[in-house]
Amino acid sequence: MAIHIPRGTQDIMPPEVETWHLIEEAARKLCSLYQYQEIRTPIFEHTELFSRGVGDSTDIVEKEMYNFTDRGGRNMTLRPEGTAAVVRSFVENKMYGNPDQPVKLYYMGPMFRYERPQAGRYRQFVQFGIEALGSNDPAIDAEVISLAMALYRELGLKKLKLVLNSLGDTESRKAHREALVSHFQPRIGEFCEDCQKRLEKNPLRILDCKKDSGHELMETAPSIVDYLNDSSRAYFEKVQEYLKKLEIPFEVDPNLVRGLDYYNHTAFEIMSEAEGFGAITTLCGGGRYNGLAEELGGPETPGIGFALSIERFIAALKAEKVELPVERKIDCYLVSLGDRAKDYTVGLLQELRNEGISAERDYLGRKLKAQFKAADRLGARFVAVLGDDELEKGVINLKNMETGEQTEVELASLAKQFR
Ligand code: HAM
């Protein structure tokens, strides 16, 4: 019986993988412009990193992690996100001592969440994310958001909506939390089992519940904006002022609650507003996490970042019907006729490739016409035809496939001819 791919995963096949390369290259280029450096952390970490970092009462930690015990009996987890590991590494490698602050990092790689698969939601997906650690300047919040927007725009997305909120500092969050508990407690029996648990552990998460989203108490729930203290409010205003300066349109949504526990102050999501994008419209999510480094045993360090998945990026490109230039082309296809010529192309092909010329030949013993067809399918710019006669004379016939022009070239100078 054939073995199938696991549910919620996908094979990225050629030529679609070319689109991935374009996005990855654009992301790396922007990171270099904005001065973010790549960091590569392991695919698996100690489970405790996520239960402490992301938060015990989040859906991710409670229901979605790929946990396993290794042969040494340790509890390990396939990473569901990148921030906790980056901050772990920041602390472990004492990057808070680096002369260059803030420390600006980016990562790209697979993440794993045991979610119910649907359009735009996978169990293995690739995140591109950035994290800026060590600065409490609202300008860096604006920079982080602007990098995400720049990447989407660079690749041609237009129907984007940036949604912004502030979750405030510890003091503001505490006041809001108390207000939420008093709001929901008297009627918590009408809510789902998860929400009942959330009331004590993390009442903010109730606002994000899909099952109870229609309950009347949701509409009237106390809003964080009314509980921000002066410094949190001032910080949030400054972030908005900078975004306006950068001409990045946004909407403030006091109900924006992110699904991870480490956030405070700025929280944001970028959505696709393209028609027919599907139910899950969030392309990118991020925010500030000033307590996370301390939570993971490091010194008090402010931080902010975002992550986006390439899968949803590509879905948005498709929804907006953006065609990326991913034509496949090669410089030269070697057509050969006769046994000696065929043998000769083995070395000739290598010579071309050594000179940086992309080249291909036939490996199936095809006839002349079929070899030309193969060259056509590969989008060959030139076809070089070698028969036993030409070989005898030390020449090769070079055809420009765009103009149809044919020239006889000395065999020994074919590679040079291309330059
Ligand atoms: P998140 O909102 O959990 O945040 O995920 C960020 C992005 O990852 C989402 O907006 C979405 O594009 C993508 N994503 C999440 N789950 C899936 C899935 N199952 N299939 C496809 N794409 C998915 C974080 O992960 C935070 N670490 C972001 C962050 C970085 N905050 C600060 N720094």
Side-chain angles (χ1 to χ4, degrees):
M1 214 173 73
I3 297 174
H4 297 290
I5 192 169
R7 211 162 114 73
T9 67
Q10 55 174 347
D11 298 317
I12 318 295
M13 313 288 286
E16 183 169 80
V17 81
E18 306 279 343
T19 307
W20 284 68
H21 289 167
L22 284 179
I23 296 173
E24 288 159 8
E25 276 161 31
R28 287 183 199 284
K29 218 169 108 196
L30 273 179
C31 284
S32 154
L33 276 178
Y34 284 64
Q35 285 298 291
Y36 286 76
Q37 286 182 304
E38 186 177 6
I39 181 167
R40 299 186 184 188
T41 61
I43 301 279
F44 60 90
E45 296 270 358
H46 291 285
T47 303
E48 196 190 350
L49 173 66
F50 305 111
S51 50
R52 265 210 267 159
V54 175
D56 263 335
S57 59
T58 59
D59 280 357
I60 295 182
V61 172
E62 274 193 337
K63 304 177 189 163
E64 296 170 1
M65 294 211 299
Y66 279 89
N67 297 326
F68 63 98
T69 319
D70 74 6
R71 284 169 191 272
R74 301 171 196 90
N75 293 325
M76 311 302 277
T77 297
L78 296 185
R79 61 183 187 188
E81 61 103 51
T83 311
V86 169
V87 176
R88 182 218 22 87
S89 177
F90 173 88
V91 171
E92 198 161 356
N93 293 294
K94 300 190 172 56
M95 293 173 92
Y96 44 82
N98 283 8
D100 290 328
Q101 298 286 336
V103 172
K104 304 208 293 186
L105 302 165
Y106 82 88
Y107 51 89
M108 224 183 297
M111 307 292 162
F112 306 84
R113 295 184 193 178
Y114 192 81
E115 294 195 84
R116 204 165 53 79
Q118 52 182 297
R121 179 175 284 159
Y122 298 92
R123 288 185 174 166
Q124 172 174 332
F125 54 97
V126 173
Q127 274 189 349
F128 160 62
I130 71 170
E131 313 292 350
L133 289 137
S135 166
N136 233 332
D137 185 337
I140 198 99
D141 300 44
E143 175 181 286
V144 163
I145 294 172
S146 76
L147 194 155
M149 293 301 284
L151 180 60
Y152 287 130
R153 285 178 180 161
E154 161 108 14
L155 289 172
L157 289 183
K158 294 201 173 71
K159 295 174 181 155
L160 299 169
K161 182 166 89 177
L162 168 64
V163 183
L164 202 63
N165 191 18
S166 171
L167 303 174
D169 61 6
T170 317
E171 186 188 82
S172 314
R173 291 186 59 154
K174 194 162 165 264
H176 182 228
R177 188 199 147 96
E178 280 161 13
L180 283 172
V181 173
S182 345
H183 178 76
F184 286 111
Q185 195 146 44
R187 291 173 66 186
I188 196 66
E190 297 164 28
F191 286 74
C192 73
E193 227 174 274
D194 281 342
C195 282
Q196 297 186 14
K197 278 192 233 149
R198 285 172 186 141
L199 184 72
E200 282 311 318
K201 274 168 114 183
N202 192 351
L204 194 66
R205 305 272 321 126
I206 297 178
L207 302 178
D208 208 22
C209 180
K210 307 281 175 305
K211 280 188 216 143
D212 293 319
S213 59
H215 196 287
E216 58 175 318
L217 283 191
M218 290 292 211
E219 289 248 317
T220 53
S223 168
I224 180 71
V225 284
D226 299 323
Y227 292 84
L228 294 180
N229 56 19
D230 289 347
S231 61
S232 298
R233 194 177 301 277
Y235 192 94
F236 191 34
E237 274 162 15
K238 207 73 191 159
V239 173
Q240 296 179 53
E241 184 191 316
Y242 288 147
L243 285 173
K244 284 179 194 150
K245 216 181 201 74
L246 297 175
E247 294 178 25
I248 298 173
F250 60 87
E251 272 174 30
V252 173
D253 178 358
N255 291 321
L256 176 75
V257 181
R258 305 267 304 124
L260 304 92
D261 274 356
Y262 45 61
Y263 292 115
N264 40 56
H265 290 287
T266 315
F268 66 94
E269 288 188 353
I270 300 170
M271 330 276 209
S272 168
E273 293 198 297
E275 239 172 83
F277 183 73
I280 305 171
T281 56
T282 307
L283 299 179
C284 170
R288 191 162 265 289
Y289 45 84
N290 288 352
L292 185 55
E294 255 179 309
E295 179 68 43
L296 300 178
E300 199 183 322
T301 312
I304 178 159
F306 73 72
L308 59 87
S309 73
I310 314 272
E311 286 82 356
R312 288 194 197 166
F313 200 142
I314 290 177
L317 290 170
K318 283 183 184 152
E320 286 200 32
K321 301 193 170 61
V322 177
E323 296 272 348
L324 295 179
V326 289
E327 288 176 89
R328 189 172 173 205
K329 280 223 180 284
I330 64 165
D331 296 323
C332 184
Y333 191 94
L334 293 179
V335 166
S336 56
L337 286 164
D339 291 340
R340 284 187 50 227
K342 197 159 282 174
D343 290 346
Y344 190 85
T345 56
V346 173
L348 188 58
L349 188 68
Q350 189 61 45
E351 233 176 85
L352 291 174
R353 290 172 175 170
N354 287 348
E355 291 291 330
I357 297 152
S358 55
E360 189 54 293
R361 83 190 266 279
D362 171 62
Y363 287 107
L364 294 175
R366 280 178 286 213
K367 301 240 160 59
L368 184 74
K369 210 169 143 195
Q371 290 189 46
F372 265 98
K373 268 199 188 147
D376 223 32
R377 274 197 302 273
L378 292 180
R381 295 190 179 90
F382 288 87
V383 173
V385 188
L386 186 72
D388 287 349
D389 292 349
E390 282 91 357
L391 187 56
E392 202 73 31
K393 285 195 274 173
V395 294
I396 190 164
N397 205 303
L398 192 61
K399 181 172 180 188
N400 181 328
M401 297 304 278
E402 213 168 278
T403 62
E405 187 191 338
Q406 294 194 42
T407 39
E408 212 174 63
V409 178
E410 255 182 67
L411 246 187
S413 66
L414 180 66
K416 273 195 214 104
Q417 195 75 24
F418 273 93
R419 268 181 285 117

